[in-house]
DNA sequence: ACCTGAACACCGTTCAAGT
DNA sequence: ACCTGAACACCGTTCAAGT
């Protein structure tokens, strides 16, 4: 409406507004991201996303090949957000500890997004944008170990470090740590610190 | 048909055979378990399970309140199988190492079942049978630490130990360990050993 | 008791059509 | 180009009914 009588004959200018948004794509990703945390990935229907974005149930197919492609975009955004959190955390007094903690806290703050990002649902090969965003995070994780990544020991150390934050994140968000284990735990931050401390020193009681 | 003229008036005996199986419940769980590994939990439809069990799409509701209840039974069976693997592994030269390895190998052998068992889909509160099977596995995991479980350090050690096998399992089955990290890895068993070794000694390079 | 077929309100996806 | 409505083949779940 704003440009209904623009001067140029074919320069319809930007934002015709005759049809919906100029950036339905972004709106769909944002809507799906918001819905994901509330409903869970299983209950996230493409039709419902379209409904909340005020377009027909079919409009998303202009921007995404299918439901998985939309979820892949959501996951890619998630990886970019995680990368930002980790970047910020590098400024902490103990950078490596900070990054590990940021990883676990990200999972706790956005559990379903974390589940989508790392779950088996999306085949990264099919979505280059997602693969790129993932690789950035992975490079971040590997960075402290890259000097010696050629050594098998360093690789094992890197995998162990990643495993522990990844496993702790999963156990926490899936509620697998029962009340007995969490007894006396005031805040999660302290628990994460304790677990990372003991992991750094070596899993004492596990040695035989 | 076989017992249509049985002597006792109301003792219809076992296996009337007039209708399908006497144990449709077990058949449904077995069918669903088999389908789960092939199709994944998302693509597992109750109607398809019924079809493969040669009953109407509605028959499962005689034995399970809904789709989730059937999945809960599948998951409970999974926990019992995991408990058996871990029991066997206790006989290894290094019991704790053996149990941890058995945990990761179980995930690798039955990735979708593992995902269902530990994923966020099933609320354990709703399924007592599932909760019991889970608790047995958890007790197993906690056992080596129970002497000192009251100490915060021992709890942190137990959570760290569990986190590392759980995280490694997830990273492996979701294919998150890229080729660069897996370079030179002949068999997974060796990788698991290496990671558990370094975890036992302490995450060297991660100390700052 | 255990099973069935029809029905309801949803899906994801495709297609022919509208501006 | 971008959006729409109708249609197709599926779901999970419920219900009234059959033996």
């Amino acid at each position: 409406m704003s440009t209904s009588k623009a001067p140029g004959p074919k320069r319809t200018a930007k934002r015709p507004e005759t049809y919906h948004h100029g950036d339905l794509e972004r709106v769909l990703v944002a809507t799906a991201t918001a819905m994901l945390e509330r409903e869970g990935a299983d209950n996230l229907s493409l039709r419902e996303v379209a409904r909340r974005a005020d377009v027909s149930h079919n409009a998303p197919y202009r921007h995404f090949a299918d439901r998985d492609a939309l979820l892949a975009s959501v996951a890619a955004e998630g990886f970019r957000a995680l990368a930002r959190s980790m970047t910020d955390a590098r400024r902490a007094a103990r950078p490596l500890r900070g990054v590990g903690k940021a990883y676990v806290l990200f999972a706790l703050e956005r559990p379903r997004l974390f589940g989508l990002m790392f779950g088996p649902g999306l085949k990264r090969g099919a979505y280059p944008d997602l693969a790129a965003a993932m690789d950035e995070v992975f490079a971040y994780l590997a960075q402290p170990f890259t000097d010696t990544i050629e050594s098998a020991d360093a690789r094992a150390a890197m995998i162990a470090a990643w495993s522990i934050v990844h496993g702790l994140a999963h156990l926490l968000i899936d509620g697998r740590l029962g009340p007995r284990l969490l007894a006396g735990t005031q805040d999660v931050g302290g628990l994460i610190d304790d677990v990372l401390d003991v992991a750094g020193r070596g899993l004492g009681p596990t040695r035989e």
Side-chain angles (χ1 to χ4, degrees), chain A:
Chain A
M1 31 173 83
S2 55
T3 57
S4 52
K5 281 165 189 177
K10 268 175 183 165
R11 308 187 96 238
T12 58
K14 40 204 65 166
R15 315 289 223 88
E17 286 268 88
T18 328
Y19 286 85
H20 275 92
H21 347 64
D23 58 351
L24 178 57
E25 180 170 337
R26 232 180 311 261
V27 172
L28 290 171
V29 172
T31 307
T33 303
M35 284 178 58
L36 173 67
E37 279 315 335
R38 263 188 277 110
E39 331 273 351
D42 290 356
N43 301 47
L44 180 66
S45 95
L46 198 48
R47 288 173 101 113
E48 179 75 17
V49 172
R51 234 173 268 133
R52 302 221 189 174
D54 270 314
V55 292
S56 90
H57 66 266
N58 208 349
Y61 286 91
R62 285 304 121 193
H63 301 278
F64 300 98
D66 53 21
R67 183 178 177 276
D68 275 0
L70 172 58
L71 289 179
S73 282
V74 171
E77 277 288 1
F79 276 110
R80 284 188 280 268
L82 176 55
R84 283 194 297 275
S85 294
M86 290 164 79
T87 307
D88 293 349
R90 277 214 84 196
R91 284 199 277 271
R94 305 167 67 194
L96 196 46
R97 159 65 48 97
V99 169
K101 204 167 166 178
Y103 188 96
V104 180
L105 289 175
F106 180 89
L108 283 168
E109 274 157 30
R110 315 183 72 176
R112 320 248 210 191
L113 180 58
F114 183 84
L116 176 70
M117 287 159 59
F118 288 101
L122 270 11
K123 280 119 187 56
R124 54 165 277 157
Y127 311 100
D129 185 43
L130 173 60
M134 279 180 56
D135 287 343
E136 199 189 344
V137 166
F138 294 174
Y140 230 106
L141 286 163
Q143 196 170 303
F145 302 87
T146 38
D147 308 343
T148 47
I149 193 108
E150 300 310 327
S151 113
D153 261 18
R155 272 199 304 267
M158 199 245 138
I159 296 175
W162 191 6
S163 290
I164 207 157
V165 289
H166 195 69
L168 181 57
H170 265 290
L171 291 176
L172 282 171
I173 68 185
D174 293 336
R176 292 321 185 216
L177 266 24
R180 266 186 73 229
L181 270 175
L182 294 177
T185 302
Q186 322 288 4
D187 68 316
V188 229
L191 173 69
I192 299 172
D193 278 327
D194 290 350
V195 171
L196 295 187
D197 278 340
V198 74
R201 289 197 303 268
L203 269 33
T206 76
R207 273 182 280 195
E208 339 181 42

